[in-house]
Amino acid sequence: MDSKSPFDADVIIVGAGLSGMSAAKQLTDAGKKVLLFDGKDRVGGRTWCDPEYENGSIDFGGMFVGTTHAASTRLGKEMGLELVKARPEGMACWDLGTEVLHVDEGYPEKTLSSGASLSDGLTDAFKKIDAIAAQVGKDEPWNAEGAAELDGLTMQSWLDENIEDPLVRFIVGSDVSIITG
């Protein structure tokens, strides 16, 4: 390749999301010539939001950062990204398939077929997930007791085995899918 070519580079990075942009910045800071390519006509990856959407801002693959994600938060700030709450102010709409419920905060009021409240069913389900997370831990989860058995489960099979109510299973499965992508 001609050394004067605009495509001459020390490093080529494919993907202009946060990871690609961060790698490009670090390599450029280290004096390397970097080419950065992405399949889209923009940079930012899953952090793209359209604030001009006709019914209000909409995320087109929002990147979620939790309160314990210090490195991701720091990187986002270094890249000049604005952090916004995942759930905006105002009423939430819950489409339960057979009915639509609206709430200002938390879970909608709904009585399950067992007589329990939807809120209690969801709270219990998420407590079960939290118990597994505590058992596995964040450091070396592959060494946790029962790790092989847990790795052998799909989320759906775990839900089917552990959550009796179909509506609670549906909502928890949806939440986990949304959060983990």
Side-chain angles (χ1 to χ4, degrees), residues 3 6 18 30 51 70-71 107 135 141-142 145-147 153-154 168-169 173:
S3 64
L18 290 184
Y107 301 122
Q135 170 192 332
W142 51 88
E145 183 178 333
L153 291 175
T154 64
V168 174
R169 267 196 315 270

Side-chain angles (χ1 to χ4, degrees), residues 8-21:
D8 187 27
D10 298 311
V11 178
I12 297 173
I13 297 172
V14 178
L18 290 184
S19 295
M21 296 291 288

